[in-house]
PDB file of all heavy atoms in Angstrom:
ATOM      1  N   VAL A 156      75.911  84.789  47.283  1.00 92.00           N
ATOM      2  CA  VAL A 156      77.291  85.140  47.625  1.00 92.00           C
ATOM      3  C   VAL A 156      78.182  84.070  47.021  1.00 92.00           C
ATOM      4  O   VAL A 156      77.989  82.873  47.270  1.00 92.00           O
ATOM      5  CB  VAL A 156      77.496  85.200  49.152  1.00 92.00           C
ATOM      6  CG1 VAL A 156      78.966  85.468  49.489  1.00 92.00           C
ATOM      7  CG2 VAL A 156      76.614  86.292  49.753  1.00 92.00           C
ATOM      8  N   GLU A 174      88.467  84.749  47.430  1.00 96.00           N
ATOM      9  CA  GLU A 174      87.585  85.853  47.077  1.00 96.00           C
ATOM     10  C   GLU A 174      86.145  85.572  47.494  1.00 96.00           C
ATOM     11  O   GLU A 174      85.674  84.440  47.422  1.00 96.00           O
ATOM     12  CB  GLU A 174      87.607  86.098  45.568  1.00 96.00           C
ATOM     13  CG  GLU A 174      88.889  86.683  45.044  1.00 96.00           C
ATOM     14  CD  GLU A 174      88.759  87.106  43.592  1.00 96.00           C
ATOM     15  OE1 GLU A 174      87.729  86.774  42.964  1.00 96.00           O
ATOM     16  OE2 GLU A 174      89.680  87.747  43.077  1.00 96.00           O
ATOM     17  N   MET A 185      81.101  92.326  55.526  1.00 91.00           N
ATOM     18  CA  MET A 185      81.423  90.929  55.213  1.00 91.00           C
ATOM     19  C   MET A 185      82.120  90.297  56.408  1.00 91.00           C
ATOM     20  O   MET A 185      82.914  90.954  57.087  1.00 91.00           O
ATOM     21  CB  MET A 185      82.289  90.839  53.964  1.00 91.00           C
ATOM     22  CG  MET A 185      81.483  91.038  52.678  1.00 91.00           C
ATOM     23  SD  MET A 185      82.466  90.640  51.237  1.00 91.00           S
ATOM     24  CE  MET A 185      81.229  90.755  49.941  1.00 91.00           C
ATOM     25  N   GLN A 194      83.085  71.248  64.149  1.00 91.00           N
ATOM     26  CA  GLN A 194      83.030  72.367  65.076  1.00 91.00           C
ATOM     27  C   GLN A 194      82.188  73.498  64.519  1.00 91.00           C
ATOM     28  O   GLN A 194      81.726  73.446  63.382  1.00 91.00           O
ATOM     29  CB  GLN A 194      84.440  72.855  65.399  1.00 91.00           C
ATOM     30  CG  GLN A 194      85.258  71.835  66.177  1.00 91.00           C
ATOM     31  CD  GLN A 194      86.555  72.414  66.688  1.00 91.00           C
ATOM     32  OE1 GLN A 194      86.714  73.619  66.821  1.00 91.00           O
ATOM     33  NE2 GLN A 194      87.502  71.538  66.985  1.00 91.00           N
ATOM     34  N   SER A 195      82.003  74.496  65.324  1.00 92.00           N
ATOM     35  CA  SER A 195      81.168  75.618  64.914  1.00 92.00           C
ATOM     36  C   SER A 195      81.945  76.581  64.023  1.00 92.00           C
ATOM     37  O   SER A 195      83.133  76.414  63.788  1.00 92.00           O
ATOM     38  CB  SER A 195      80.665  76.352  66.158  1.00 92.00           C
ATOM     39  OG  SER A 195      79.775  77.377  65.794  1.00 92.00           O
ATOM     40  N   LYS A 216      96.509  89.504  62.309  1.00 92.00           N
ATOM     41  CA  LYS A 216      96.163  90.385  61.198  1.00 92.00           C
ATOM     42  C   LYS A 216      97.116  90.215  60.023  1.00 92.00           C
ATOM     43  O   LYS A 216      96.708  90.237  58.860  1.00 92.00           O
ATOM     44  CB  LYS A 216      96.234  91.851  61.641  1.00 92.00           C
ATOM     45  CG  LYS A 216      95.328  92.210  62.765  1.00 92.00           C
ATOM     46  CD  LYS A 216      95.522  93.665  63.165  1.00 92.00           C
ATOM     47  CE  LYS A 216      94.728  93.992  64.402  1.00 92.00           C
ATOM     48  NZ  LYS A 216      94.894  95.400  64.812  1.00 92.00           N
ATOM     49  N   VAL A 233      95.725  84.293  53.041  1.00 97.00           N
ATOM     50  CA  VAL A 233      96.429  83.553  54.086  1.00 97.00           C
ATOM     51  C   VAL A 233      97.904  83.562  53.713  1.00 97.00           C
ATOM     52  O   VAL A 233      98.295  82.977  52.695  1.00 97.00           O
ATOM     53  CB  VAL A 233      95.908  82.107  54.197  1.00 97.00           C
ATOM     54  CG1 VAL A 233      96.612  81.379  55.341  1.00 97.00           C
ATOM     55  CG2 VAL A 233      94.395  82.100  54.415  1.00 97.00           C
ATOM     56  N   SER A 242      91.835  74.295  56.858  1.00 96.00           N
ATOM     57  CA  SER A 242      90.506  74.432  57.461  1.00 96.00           C
ATOM     58  C   SER A 242      89.495  74.763  56.365  1.00 96.00           C
ATOM     59  O   SER A 242      89.841  74.871  55.195  1.00 96.00           O
ATOM     60  CB  SER A 242      90.527  75.555  58.508  1.00 96.00           C
ATOM     61  OG  SER A 242      89.317  75.616  59.222  1.00 96.00           O
ATOM     62  N   TYR A 244      87.166  77.693  55.202  1.00 97.00           N
ATOM     63  CA  TYR A 244      87.000  79.134  55.378  1.00 97.00           C
ATOM     64  C   TYR A 244      85.728  79.562  54.658  1.00 97.00           C
ATOM     65  O   TYR A 244      85.526  79.226  53.485  1.00 97.00           O
ATOM     66  CB  TYR A 244      88.200  79.900  54.822  1.00 97.00           C
ATOM     67  CG  TYR A 244      89.466  79.667  55.614  1.00 97.00           C
ATOM     68  CD1 TYR A 244      90.292  78.568  55.350  1.00 97.00           C
ATOM     69  CD2 TYR A 244      89.840  80.526  56.650  1.00 97.00           C
ATOM     70  CE1 TYR A 244      91.439  78.340  56.095  1.00 97.00           C
ATOM     71  CE2 TYR A 244      90.981  80.301  57.391  1.00 97.00           C
ATOM     72  CZ  TYR A 244      91.780  79.208  57.107  1.00 97.00           C
ATOM     73  OH  TYR A 244      92.910  78.982  57.848  1.00 97.00           O
ATOM     74  N   GLY A 250      73.788  93.069  53.923  1.00 81.00           N
ATOM     75  CA  GLY A 250      73.504  94.398  53.391  1.00 81.00           C
ATOM     76  C   GLY A 250      73.295  95.394  54.504  1.00 81.00           C
ATOM     77  O   GLY A 250      73.394  95.060  55.685  1.00 81.00           O
ATOM     78  N   PRO A 253      69.382  97.475  59.928  1.00 63.00           N
ATOM     79  CA  PRO A 253      69.353  96.559  61.067  1.00 63.00           C
ATOM     80  C   PRO A 253      68.547  95.316  60.757  1.00 63.00           C
ATOM     81  O   PRO A 253      67.581  95.367  60.003  1.00 63.00           O
ATOM     82  CB  PRO A 253      68.690  97.388  62.167  1.00 63.00           C
ATOM     83  CG  PRO A 253      67.847  98.366  61.426  1.00 63.00           C
ATOM     84  CD  PRO A 253      68.570  98.690  60.155  1.00 63.00           C
ATOM     85  N   THR A 263      85.592  77.624  51.293  1.00 97.00           N
ATOM     86  CA  THR A 263      86.849  77.219  50.645  1.00 97.00           C
ATOM     87  C   THR A 263      87.551  76.227  51.548  1.00 97.00           C
ATOM     88  O   THR A 263      87.850  76.529  52.701  1.00 97.00           O
ATOM     89  CB  THR A 263      87.773  78.439  50.418  1.00 97.00           C
ATOM     90  OG1 THR A 263      87.146  79.344  49.521  1.00 97.00           O
ATOM     91  CG2 THR A 263      89.118  77.984  49.840  1.00 97.00           C
TER      92      THR A 263
END
Side-chain angles (χ1 to χ4, degrees):
Chain A
V156 176
E174 290 189 351
M185 283 190 173
Q194 294 190 21
S195 185
K216 300 177 187 180
V233 183
S242 187
Y244 292 85
T263 297

